[in-house]
Amino acid sequence: GAVVSQHPSWVICKSGTSVKIECRSLDFQATTMFWYRQFPKQSLMLMATSNEGSKATYEQGVEKDKFLINHASLTLSTLTVTSAHPEDSSFYICSARDMVAGLDTQYFGPGTRLTVL
Amino acid sequence: DQQVKQNSPSLSVQEGRISILNCDYTNSMFDYFLWYKKYPAEGPTFLISISSIKDKNEDGRFTVFLNKSAKHLSLHIVPSQPGDSAVYFCAASAHYGGSQGNLIFGKGTKLSVKP
């Protein structure tokens, strides 16, 4: 199946700093990528939809200025957590949408564990 | 309001037997359904999908059944193996209704396959 990578896999940062997470589709082009957040023992929560070459669409309750998303190419989307605080500590997962033979499937990256001290 | 529900938070099955994971949905606009498997601290792995024009899709040990009238789908794993132990997420999309393909996830069912 299609492969999606994320970098870094884990990051620890001080409160107030910014952290950038990269999401890449390795063997297909993704016009749409998604960013999710998962809290312990909870389901995946969609944060935003990222379309190549245009502004991201954020879900209700997600701060646009805090979670900056850039989708500059068909294989790369980045999520920047600005001025991170301990409550931003979470597991962030991206996915890339692959349209093959008319079927729409999302393939997920391995996730990034963010810990804000 | 939860549009995709997985009412069983956990399921324990003996190795070699069948695992049946259930999922219910409320939005009649959903027309594409997927199952993902997730290990701790990893991203979900796509398992199998089904569109609303079908009622069954099979891939190796995995079969997904869709009952549109009941708004219910299930994932059958047979025979179950210890390596199948993971959290299984059901997801639905109203893609063919014009959305961007946003997936709505259930809360997951933790499957434990005992040797």
Side-chain angles (χ1 to χ4, degrees):
Chain A
V3 179
V4 176
S5 70
Q6 266 183 257
H7 178 80
S9 56
W10 59 271
V11 57
I12 301 173
C13 69
K14 291 183 179 180
S15 184
T17 60
S18 294
V19 175
K20 180 187 280 188
I21 303 170
E22 292 186 349
C23 177
R24 294 180 186 271
S25 56
L26 297 185
D27 49 3
F28 66 101
Q29 293 183 328
T31 55
T32 305
M33 291 184 172
F34 302 86
W35 287 95
Y36 294 83
R37 185 172 179 177
Q38 185 180 28
F39 292 101
K41 298 184 180 179
Q42 294 190 26
S43 185
L44 297 168
M45 184 190 78
L46 178 65
M47 297 174 65
T49 301
S50 169
N51 292 301
E52 186 266 337
S54 64
K55 290 183 178 180
T57 303
Y58 290 81
E59 295 299 301
Q60 192 174 10
V62 178
E63 297 177 58
K64 300 179 183 181
D65 295 331
K66 181 163 190 62
F67 299 99
L68 300 179
I69 291 172
N70 183 275
H71 192 160
S73 77
L74 289 172
T75 58
L76 172 65
S77 176
T78 60
L79 168 69
T80 302
V81 182
T82 62
S83 188
H85 291 283
E87 58 265 29
D88 298 324
S89 298
S90 190
F91 192 55
Y92 293 87
I93 306 173
C94 74
S95 71
R97 185 182 181 199
D98 188 15
M99 296 285 291
V100 176
L103 292 179
D104 178 3
T105 301
Q106 286 185 33
Y107 294 94
F108 287 81
T112 297
R113 169 71 61 190
L114 170 63
T115 301
V116 184
L117 302 177
Chain B
D1 179 35
Q2 241 186 303
Q3 298 186 65
V4 178
K5 300 177 184 178
Q6 292 178 257
N7 292 319
S8 298
S10 63
L11 174 68
S12 183
V13 172
Q14 204 68 33
E15 180 179 8
R17 306 293 290 268
I18 185 172
S19 295
I20 300 176
L21 299 123
N22 294 304
C23 178
D24 297 293
Y25 61 96
T26 58
N27 190 340
S28 57
M29 295 299 291
F30 289 147
D31 52 18
Y32 188 52
F33 305 89
L34 308 91
W35 283 95
Y36 287 87
K37 173 182 179 180
K38 187 180 182 299
Y39 294 113
E42 292 185 13
T45 302
F46 169 72
L47 275 178
I48 192 168
S49 64
I50 188 168
S51 72
S52 57
I53 62 173
K54 293 185 175 183
D55 54 19
K56 177 183 175 182
N57 189 25
E58 191 173 354
D59 184 3
R61 296 186 298 115
F62 302 93
T63 303
V64 56
F65 295 92
L66 175 62
N67 183 334
K68 290 186 289 294
S69 61
K71 293 190 176 69
H72 176 84
L73 65 154
S74 60
L75 174 68
H76 293 209
I77 306 172
V78 56
S80 301
Q81 300 173 354
D84 296 328
S85 297
V87 177
Y88 289 77
F89 288 99
C90 167
S93 168
H95 170 64
Y96 297 106
S99 76
Q100 294 187 66
N102 293 6
L103 293 179
I104 308 297
F105 284 87
K107 290 190 173 182
T109 297
K110 184 176 182 180
L111 173 66
S112 300
V113 180
K114 298 181 178 180

